[in-house]
Amino acid sequence: MLLVGALAFVALLWFLGNDTGGSGNNGGAHVGGKGLNGFAGLAQMLEAEGLDVQRLRNRQTIESAPGLLILTPPAGAEGKEIAKVVEARRYIGPTLVIAPKWFAMAANSTKAKRGWVQIVSTGLPEWPGFADNVTVELSNDKLPPAGGWRVGERRGKLPDDKQVESGSGKGLVPIVNAGNGKILAAWLDDDGYYPGLNDFAGIDPDYGGDDEDLYPVVMVFEPDLLDNWGLADKATALMARDLVLATADDRSMPIAFDMTFNGFGANRNLLTLAFEPPFLAATICLLLAALAMAWRALHRFGPALAQGPEIAMGKAALVANAAGLIRRAGRVHLAAAPYADAVRERIALALGLPRGLAPAEIERLIDVAQERRSVSGPTFSSAARHLRDARKPHDVTRRALVLQNIERLLK
């Protein structure tokens, strides 16, 4: 029973801690998406390198989780909500925001796997309330090709070089540029000092502000720099890896992908919640109680009790069964007169009275013996008469004890 209970408890913990929201492979532009526009490839590449990659589904968690947070909001997300998350994290960890570009639908091919998509069109993000001083634009077929991407001396190609999303505005420090000079990724220029990004972008190592506790906010305007479609190119994949590590500036820092803005929000994990105040105290008490129960189950207090047979043997069992039957039948008073007669015969035998005398004469002689031996209490004849007149079980028992005491004193 202890083993089954322990296994059931472990199963309960697994279900509490397991992500029940599914992989999220629905063709969307988020970490669960395995289509062209998804970012599952980026997460798997980072995990393959031994980095701590998380997928967060709770809005409160993403605002306070340490490490690098990667946001992939859809085009119609609330800009004020994005700004709230970004501002809440400025002194907690860096934030990388990837703008959407592709509108996609599920692939209609019979050979398509789950999550595969086909690109339908493009569109710009509309996030009023977040980075309103930044302008995002999208090139088209009427303009010359963007010429891929470049970071210092590094070069790479884009999946669709004619439909490239870029950003512009005051306060942007370019990280990745297109071949035509457009800004594909940048960080917000503020009072922070970010040596990792300086080194990646190939700019002055001393560039930045004085607030070393402030973490960077990186804007990736061209999602093909990091999505599955772009990572099909080796040079782009290596650049994406280096961009993420430069933003984190610490390989030991956890990297978290947000899924709440993409419709995969969930309540807080009950298992981790149990180990946080104020629930931690109750969890410790439960664990101590479980240890005590396990110790008591494995260490018996004293020897095991010998279990007797279900049905007792011998005269005592026969008498007990007969008495129980009489009591259950409500016929206890019928045993009063036979018991009085039996006691009378035993006393007569013990006193050596002649045989063949009438019952009344025997009882008179017993009374004489009581008087001669100075036995206190009622006479035998009166006690026997009272017993024969008893009807209630309590009265029968009490008056039978009187006869039993007379018999004990006369023997």
Side-chain angles (χ1 to χ4, degrees), residues 111-141:
K111 298 181 180 181
K113 296 182 179 180
R114 180 173 178 264
W116 286 14
V117 298
Q118 60 185 24
I119 301 300
V120 177
S121 61
T122 58
L124 295 174
E126 297 181 4
W127 297 336
F130 173 66
D132 292 330
N133 60 329
V134 176
T135 301
V136 181
E137 60 182 0
L138 187 65
S139 62
N140 52 56
D141 295 337

Side-chain angles (χ1 to χ4, degrees), residues 333-344:
H333 64 281
L334 298 180
Y339 181 76
D341 295 341
V343 173
R344 182 188 64 209

Side-chain angles (χ1 to χ4, degrees), residues 92-355:
I92 296 176
T95 306
L96 191 151
V97 183
I98 306 175
K101 180 179 70 171
W102 300 115
F103 288 137
M105 61 181 296
N108 55 13
S109 173
T110 56
K111 298 181 180 181
K113 296 182 179 180
R114 180 173 178 264
W116 286 14
V117 298
Q118 60 185 24
I119 301 300
V120 177
S121 61
T122 58
L124 295 174
E126 297 181 4
W127 297 336
F130 173 66
D132 292 330
N133 60 329
V134 176
T135 301
V136 181
E137 60 182 0
L138 187 65
S139 62
N140 52 56
D141 295 337
K142 297 180 181 180
L143 299 175
W149 59 264
R150 59 180 175 85
V151 180
E153 299 299 326
R154 301 171 67 172
R155 298 288 189 274
K157 61 181 181 180
L158 294 170
D160 189 338
D161 209 40
K162 291 188 176 182
Q163 300 188 82
V164 178
E165 192 169 84
S166 60
S168 61
K170 294 182 179 180
L172 291 180
V173 180
I175 303 175
V176 182
N177 293 94
N180 58 10
K182 297 284 187 178
I183 300 176
L184 304 183
W187 81 78
L188 300 182
D189 192 7
D190 46 32
D191 196 36
Y193 173 63
Y194 315 122
L197 290 173
N198 289 347
D199 182 64
F200 176 79
I203 63 177
D204 185 358
D206 296 327
Y207 179 83
D210 299 326
D211 192 351
E212 296 184 357
D213 295 328
L214 193 66
Y215 286 96
V217 177
V218 175
M219 303 281 294
V220 178
F221 303 107
E222 175 49 64
D224 288 341
L225 295 176
L226 301 176
D227 62 20
N228 300 331
W229 198 2
L231 265 57
D233 177 65
K234 181 178 180 180
T236 304
L238 293 175
M239 183 276 299
R241 164 195 173 275
D242 294 341
L243 174 59
V244 172
L245 293 180
T247 306
D249 200 24
D250 186 356
R251 290 182 62 89
S252 64
M253 180 181 292
I255 300 173
F257 286 82
D258 167 63
M259 299 184 73
T260 63
F261 282 103
N262 305 98
F264 292 93
N267 294 325
R268 297 188 67 182
N269 187 305
L270 295 179
L271 181 58
T272 57
L273 187 63
F275 291 92
E276 297 178 4
F279 306 104
L280 179 59
T283 303
I284 294 176
C285 292
L286 289 175
L287 291 176
L288 292 176
L291 290 176
M293 291 177 62
W295 179 83
R296 287 290 291 112
L298 297 175
H299 295 79
R300 188 185 297 274
F301 184 75
L305 297 176
Q307 187 174 2
E310 296 293 336
I311 301 177
M313 307 296 290
K315 296 179 181 179
L318 181 62
V319 172
N321 291 338
L325 179 61
I326 294 173
R327 185 171 60 254
R328 292 286 298 269
R331 297 293 187 268
V332 176
H333 64 281
L334 298 180
Y339 181 76
D341 295 341
V343 173
R344 182 188 64 209
E345 297 301 326
R346 288 198 300 269
I347 295 177
L349 181 62
L351 295 177
L353 298 179
R355 296 185 177 183

Side-chain angles (χ1 to χ4, degrees), residues 343 346-347 350-351 366 369-380 401-411:
V343 173
R346 288 198 300 269
I347 295 177
L351 295 177
I366 293 175
Q370 281 183 267
E371 184 178 357
R372 185 168 57 249
R373 297 186 182 186
S374 301
V375 176
S376 60
T379 61
F380 178 84
L401 288 175
V402 175
L403 286 184
Q404 185 183 39
N405 185 57
I406 294 174
E407 180 183 5
R408 180 179 60 82
L409 295 175
L410 289 178
K411 284 186 177 183

